[in-house]
Amino acid sequence: MRIVFFGSPGSGKGTQAARIAEQYDLTHISTGELFRSKVLDDTRIGRRIGHVIAAGQLVDDITTNYVLFKALDGMKRFLVDGYPRNVAQARSFDVHLKNLNLELTCALFLDVPEEEAVRRLSLRRNIRQEKKENHQRADDAPEVIHRRFQVYRRATEPLVEYYGDRMVAVDGTGDADQVTARILEVLKPWE
Ligand code: B4P
């Protein structure tokens, strides 16, 4: 199985991707996590990525593709979450897989209304503030959440059309267990 997960910020990609990867024993790669670990390196590239993320923008495609393809090197069964983020990345990924004689199983779209997704992200911020956790995400600040949604609508939503028949859409509302059950149901044909 080779799956990509996409959806708006706060759609629950991270939560669901970890569960589904475990269920099917797939390598789980999140480009957001990859980038956040680069930021911790405190190198020139890490600082540059940190500024982009904190502004709610997308990291450039060349860096993103390089980082992801390197992380996926040698993997045949995987679930990628948060990538592609735009049609250019989706095209590059199709070419990359073709060069490896691999095919994408499906692109899974987690569909959650914007108000619900914003509520989740604000909740995450509040919980971390209450716990005084020092790994608060700069991009969960209210003004940045707004920017991330603008970027999502402009750059990421067109993936629905790009993937067409290769896409499966899943209702991402309700509690996490309900969403997992829906995803497992739609993935059954590829088990
Ligand atoms: P990501 O880490 O992918 O951030 P995100 O889209 O905002 O998703 P996130 O993981 O926060 O939310 P999720 O939907 O899982 O990317 C961060 C940044 O990295 C991007 O903004 C960009 O700058 C950069 N980046 C990443 N990939 C890139 C790419 N391909 N190209 C360029 N730049 C890239 O869940 C959010 C919250 O909802 C969680 O706190 C969870 O607890 C909660 N939740 C989940 N399911 C729930 C449910 N059913 N009910 C209630 N709450 C739920």
Side-chain angles (χ1 to χ4, degrees):
M1 240 186 220
R2 286 173 286 278
I3 311 176
V4 292
F5 260 50
F6 72 101
S8 72
S11 56
K13 300 183 295 292
T15 307
Q16 297 302 329
R19 293 173 171 212
I20 301 302
E22 191 182 355
Q23 172 78 21
Y24 291 112
D25 197 20
L26 306 172
T27 301
H28 172 203
I29 295 184
S30 149
T31 43
E33 290 296 334
L34 284 177
F35 288 144
R36 280 187 285 279
S37 73
K38 290 253 174 258
V39 173
L40 294 178
D41 287 348
D42 199 29
T43 56
R44 201 159 63 86
I45 183 165
R47 283 190 291 275
R48 182 164 59 78
I49 290 172
H51 288 305
V52 173
I53 292 180
Q57 301 286 1
L58 295 182
V59 177
D60 68 276
D61 292 344
I62 292 176
T63 305
T64 302
N65 290 338
Y66 175 78
V67 168
L68 176 72
F69 297 172
K70 200 165 156 218
L72 277 179
D73 192 25
M75 307 288 169
K76 294 232 166 12
R77 294 166 43 78
F78 53 77
L79 190 165
V80 179
D81 119 47
Y83 177 99
R85 244 8 191 237
N86 59 35
V87 171
Q89 290 182 5
R91 288 209 176 96
S92 300
F93 198 42
D94 278 339
V95 171
H96 181 71
L97 291 180
K98 195 164 182 216
N99 289 338
L100 296 170
N101 278 323
L102 297 175
E103 238 182 75
L104 196 63
T105 307
C106 67
L108 198 137
F109 170 50
L110 263 187
D111 194 7
V112 171
E114 184 166 327
E115 317 80 75
E116 168 64 11
V118 170
R119 198 189 60 78
R120 291 178 184 179
L121 293 175
S122 308
L123 191 69
R124 174 166 71 188
R125 182 176 174 80
N126 292 342
I127 289 172
R128 286 183 175 173
Q129 258 167 355
E130 272 166 27
K131 290 190 186 161
K132 301 212 177 342
E133 290 184 11
N134 54 11
H135 57 278
Q136 184 71 258
R137 276 178 55 168
D139 59 347
D140 277 349
E143 63 284 5
V144 186
I145 291 179
H146 178 66
R147 168 57 54 83
R148 283 157 70 196
F149 275 94
Q150 286 176 331
V151 171
Y152 167 74
R153 283 193 295 269
R154 175 178 48 76
T156 312
E157 249 177 17
L159 289 174
V160 169
E161 196 177 329
Y162 176 80
Y163 280 120
D165 290 349
R166 294 188 292 165
M167 186 194 79
V168 286
V170 172
D171 174 4
T173 60
D175 70 36
D177 289 345
Q178 288 175 312
V179 180
T180 305
R182 287 184 205 126
I183 296 175
L184 292 174
E185 188 62 35
V186 299
L187 291 179
K188 266 195 179 143
W190 293 290
E191 267 177 3

